[in-house]
Amino acid sequence: MDLGLVGLGKMGGNMARRLARGGHRVLGYARTRESVLALEKDGVGAAESLPDLVARLQPPRAVWLMLPAGTPTEETVTRLGGLLSRGDLLVDGGNTYYKDDVRRAAALEPKGIGYLDQGTSGGVWGLREGYCLMIGGAAPEVERLRPVFASLAPAPDRGWGRVGPVGAGHFVKMIHNGIEYGMMQAYAEGFDLLHAKQEFSLDLAAVARLWQHGSVVRSWLLDLAAEALGENPRLEGIEPWVADSGEGRWTVLEAIDKDVPLPVIALSLMARFRSRQQASFADRLLAALRNQFGGHEIKKAGR
């Protein structure tokens, strides 16, 4: 099956490789031409531009985006809306906010261009293990791309599926990532406490490996923790600065809108914000308040 793939970063490139290995004809395009040419040895074709990509695909076309959420995706959807024809299909496989999917699908509908929003999980391991694909859109359009989804998933009959109408795919992926925030934070805090019990001289990698078998807390994230701690037991050279890519924020905003309590996910997001504060004003004020009411010592900066 022919597929145009736009955005060939680490995940997009691996998806292109997996599809090409599955016998699909993949035509790729990226702003950096080197990204596309690097995939030619894996059987991925190189398009010169978006118009070239569309012109070289056999109608009815299917174009899949793997771009950062926001302006890059917005601009590309707008451009493709003017290049694609009635009966063509556009798939957004990035981490888009689900309300943007609903709006974009409505804008493309009068042109007869289909739209699927497709949440992707699997990270850098997806090339080997396959990807979990959460798909929103019309059932006939999802069925049309069944061969593509089956090739990308861990197996043709599992790890992918239509979860609802347009917007549902990225909504489910958003909640998935919110849960991921909470799980990661729990592991981080637990291992932090294990690390603090210095008198036991615990081998944290060994503990993680022990928990991988039969434990109720076993998971793929724990597998990755075991690997990270095995490679670098003291996590030396890693700054305690944790980014977020948006899904956790959107999940918390949705919870506020729906009056659904999400204390674990919300606090895990706050913990990421806290990690980025080199010199917290809040902590300085706390120290000043303790000094004001109790005369507690203040540690001066630089001492």
Side-chain angles (χ1 to χ4, degrees):
M1 182 175 186
D2 286 3
L3 183 75
L5 188 58
V6 180
L8 297 171
K10 187 171 290 185
M11 182 176 281
N14 282 343
M15 293 177 78
R17 291 184 179 95
R18 189 172 174 92
L19 286 169
R21 292 175 187 177
H24 300 277
R25 176 179 174 265
V26 182
L27 189 62
Y29 170 71
R31 292 182 179 179
T32 304
R33 182 150 176 78
E34 289 74 18
S35 300
V36 190
L37 295 177
L39 295 174
E40 284 190 319
K41 66 179 182 301
D42 297 299
V44 179
E48 298 285 343
S49 62
L50 283 179
D52 180 51
L53 179 83
V54 171
R56 291 170 60 185
L57 289 172
Q58 185 72 27
R61 306 170 184 86
V63 179
W64 185 305
L65 308 184
M66 288 300 295
L67 297 169
T71 301
T73 297
E74 189 73 37
E75 291 179 347
T76 305
V77 170
T78 300
R79 289 188 63 195
L80 285 170
L83 294 170
L84 295 173
S85 305
R86 184 170 296 275
D88 291 344
L89 183 58
L90 184 60
V91 183
D92 181 4
N95 282 326
T96 288
Y97 187 38
Y98 78 97
K99 292 184 178 180
D100 290 335
D101 292 310
V102 175
R103 172 178 53 79
R104 291 168 186 158
L108 293 172
E109 186 177 11
K111 301 179 181 182
I113 301 170
Y115 186 99
L116 300 178
D117 62 292
Q118 198 279 117
T120 309
S121 182
V124 297
W125 295 84
L127 177 61
R128 189 181 76 184
E129 304 290 340
Y131 300 89
C132 178
L133 310 175
M134 297 148 265
I135 310 157
E141 292 175 341
V142 174
E143 186 62 26
R144 175 179 154 190
L145 290 187
R146 172 182 285 272
V148 171
F149 298 135
S151 290
L152 288 172
D157 60 345
R158 63 181 184 270
W160 73 274
R162 176 181 181 268
V163 296
V166 169
H170 280 141
F171 182 81
V172 170
K173 177 57 162 52
M174 179 182 80
I175 306 305
H176 165 284
N177 281 32
I179 293 169
E180 180 184 294
Y181 277 43
M183 291 175 66
M184 291 174 68
Q185 186 66 28
Y187 280 130
E189 292 177 6
F191 277 97
D192 191 18
L193 186 53
L194 291 171
H195 174 71
K197 195 67 172 175
Q198 293 293 312
E199 60 266 37
F200 283 171
S201 301
L202 296 170
D203 183 336
L204 301 190
V207 171
R209 289 192 292 270
L210 174 66
W211 286 351
Q212 285 174 294
H213 304 283
S215 165
V216 296
V217 300
R218 65 186 183 274
S219 74
W220 185 49
L221 286 173
L222 183 61
D223 296 344
L224 298 178
E227 184 164 333
L229 291 166
E231 293 174 353
N232 187 356
R234 299 180 63 83
L235 302 181
E236 294 172 332
I238 300 176
E239 288 292 327
W241 194 102
V242 188
D244 74 284
S245 54
E247 296 88 344
R249 300 179 188 223
W250 299 335
T251 301
V252 172
L253 288 173
E254 191 71 24
I256 293 170
D257 184 57
K258 298 298 182 185
D259 297 331
V260 176
L262 299 182
V264 171
I265 294 174
L267 286 174
S268 67
L269 176 64
M270 298 303 119
R272 294 193 180 200
F273 294 162
R274 180 61 181 268
S275 76
R276 303 169 207 170
Q277 292 187 307
Q278 296 287 329
S280 170
F281 182 84
D283 287 347
R284 296 203 300 272
L285 181 58
L286 285 172
L289 286 171
R290 291 185 77 249
N291 175 259
Q292 289 290 326
F293 71 70
H296 300 288
E297 180 184 1
I298 293 178
K299 289 186 177 182
K300 299 295 185 180
R303 292 186 182 178

